[in-house]
Amino acid sequence: MAIDYDEFRRFMDVMITSNKGDHFNTLGLRVERVDQRGVCMSMGYAEGLIGDPETGVIHGGAITALLDTCSGFAAATALDDLGMTPTIDLRIDYMRPATVGRMVYADAEVYRVTESVIFTRGIAHHGDFERPIAASVGNFFRLESSTFDELRREFRESQRQHRENGRG
Amino acid sequence: MDKANLLKLLDRVPYAKTLGIQLTGDPERCLLPARKSNIGNPTLPALHGGAIAGFMELSAMSLVLQHTDAERVPKVVDYSVDYVRAGKFCDTHSRCELVYLGRRMINVRVSAWQEDEASPIAMARVQFLLKDTPW
């Protein structure tokens, strides 16, 4: 069974927006696109992300968190059903500083899936893949699908209630 | 850079404040107090892997600043992190080791742990490039 991308997109939105003040919220991460090619997320320029006070360039750690999150969700699109994929390891190459004031995008894709490991690669950019800010390679755990039975049940139940309320 | 100047510099780095990193008396060790804004998984609850990675990167950066005359934030060329345990919602410590200090390249190894230093939650290595102008 392959995942339903529309449902997965809603799942991602709930994960990154439902907890006010968590790290997703703090970084201002948003989902841009989810399909068979992978996942695209964005992170707006914000003062709280600045790493170099002289230039106003955002810190590499924020780019790392964006790529980790985006690659992790991309990995989860390779699962049979909704679920999460803990990060095993992540390598980031920083190629140029992010431009001050501009939105940063991350695009991540899966290039190999094995029984226990999902291999991903990603790029952080401002809209032009030819001018990457950073490139990443990340490996993620593929846990037993049953690990997320409860999470799925809760998510689908809340979605069902949401739809019914919407109609009411 | 001495610790007083480093504190002044870190105080001007918004991302360091966002995470809440604190220096300790030992240049090799930093602290990340438990803070809600670093949570990535509310059900466990667990810290976001990106917050742990950012903390380790900043820890390495403060060690480099304390070992060199650099007045500015050094550039990271590449960064690699291995996660071995979930980061629980509690204080996290880091310990850095200066592996190589050259004129241009600096390599730092970092480990992060919570209850027990012998049981790290993540290990990282950071390659810095010392240069006046970026890239």
Side-chain angles (χ1 to χ4, degrees):
Chain A
M1 189 174 112
I3 62 148
D4 169 341
Y5 290 108
D6 291 335
E7 185 187 42
F8 187 78
R9 161 93 197 228
R10 291 194 297 277
F11 178 66
M12 282 179 74
D13 280 331
V14 167
M15 300 283 276
I16 68 171
T17 59
S18 59
N19 298 285
K20 283 270 168 289
D22 71 358
H23 204 57
F24 299 108
N25 217 229
T26 303
L27 296 175
L29 301 190
R30 292 181 60 169
V31 185
E32 295 288 331
R33 179 181 55 76
V34 185
D35 57 28
Q36 67 286 350
R37 291 171 297 164
V39 172
C40 177
M41 295 185 74
S42 63
M43 178 174 73
Y45 183 81
E47 206 220 324
L49 306 181
I50 295 173
D52 187 341
E54 309 296 332
T55 57
V57 170
I58 61 174
H59 195 273
I63 308 271
T64 301
L66 170 67
L67 282 165
D68 180 32
T69 307
C70 188
S71 303
F73 279 125
T77 65
L79 299 172
D80 297 326
D81 199 349
L82 297 182
M84 294 194 293
T85 49
T87 315
I88 302 172
D89 56 58
L90 186 69
R91 176 192 159 126
I92 315 270
D93 291 340
Y94 295 106
M95 288 157 183
R96 59 169 60 79
T99 306
V100 174
R102 292 190 71 182
M103 176 87 87
V104 179
Y105 296 94
D107 270 86
E109 62 173 3
V110 172
Y111 64 98
R112 168 87 174 131
V113 180
T114 66
E115 193 184 331
S116 308
V117 182
I118 301 167
F119 299 84
T120 70
R121 53 190 162 217
I123 289 178
H125 57 94
H126 287 307
D128 180 0
F129 277 34
E130 300 303 310
R131 292 184 59 79
I133 299 162
S136 67
V137 183
N139 301 340
F140 296 83
F141 260 124
R142 186 179 180 198
L143 300 171
E144 285 279 325
S145 185
S146 60
T147 314
F148 304 106
D149 282 349
E150 201 184 324
L151 180 75
R152 261 174 233 139
R153 202 168 45 240
E154 280 175 13
F155 170 75
R156 285 175 179 145
E157 176 60 23
S158 70
Q159 290 282 300
R160 194 183 59 77
Q161 285 177 7
H162 187 70
R163 277 196 304 273
E164 283 177 2
N165 293 341
R167 254 181 251 132
Chain B
M1 188 181 284
D2 60 22
K3 196 184 165 191
N5 279 327
L6 177 62
L7 274 171
K8 258 188 248 162
L9 175 65
L10 271 188
D11 198 46
R12 291 175 49 230
V13 175
Y15 180 71
K17 287 186 174 173
T18 299
L19 289 184
I21 185 173
Q22 289 177 10
L23 300 179
T24 67
D26 182 346
E28 292 183 345
R29 292 168 188 266
C30 293
L31 170 69
L32 187 74
R35 194 185 261 205
K36 195 189 163 212
S37 57
N38 290 331
I39 288 182
N41 183 330
T43 356
L44 293 175
L47 298 180
H48 193 291
I52 297 168
F55 165 58
M56 293 170 89
E57 205 174 314
L58 276 172
S59 302
M61 201 169 271
S62 46
L63 180 74
V64 168
L65 284 166
Q66 288 178 87
H67 270 92
T68 60
D69 299 329
E71 292 298 320
R72 290 187 46 189
V73 179
K75 303 288 166 197
V76 179
V77 180
D78 66 66
Y79 176 64
S80 174
V81 55
D82 293 341
Y83 295 95
V84 288
R85 293 179 177 86
K88 294 179 209 152
F89 184 45
C90 59
D91 290 359
T92 307
H93 307 265
S94 67
R95 179 166 184 201
C96 299
E97 187 190 335
L98 198 58
V99 178
Y100 174 77
L101 177 62
R103 271 195 316 120
R104 288 173 66 83
M105 299 304 298
I106 300 174
N107 185 290
V108 180
R109 194 154 44 212
V110 193
S111 72
W113 80 96
Q114 295 183 321
E115 281 102 14
D116 177 15
E117 186 167 354
S119 306
I121 57 166
M123 285 89 68
R125 54 157 204 83
V126 194
Q127 283 270 27
F128 290 96
L129 175 67
L130 274 188
K131 216 174 158 192
D132 293 333
T133 51
W135 279 266

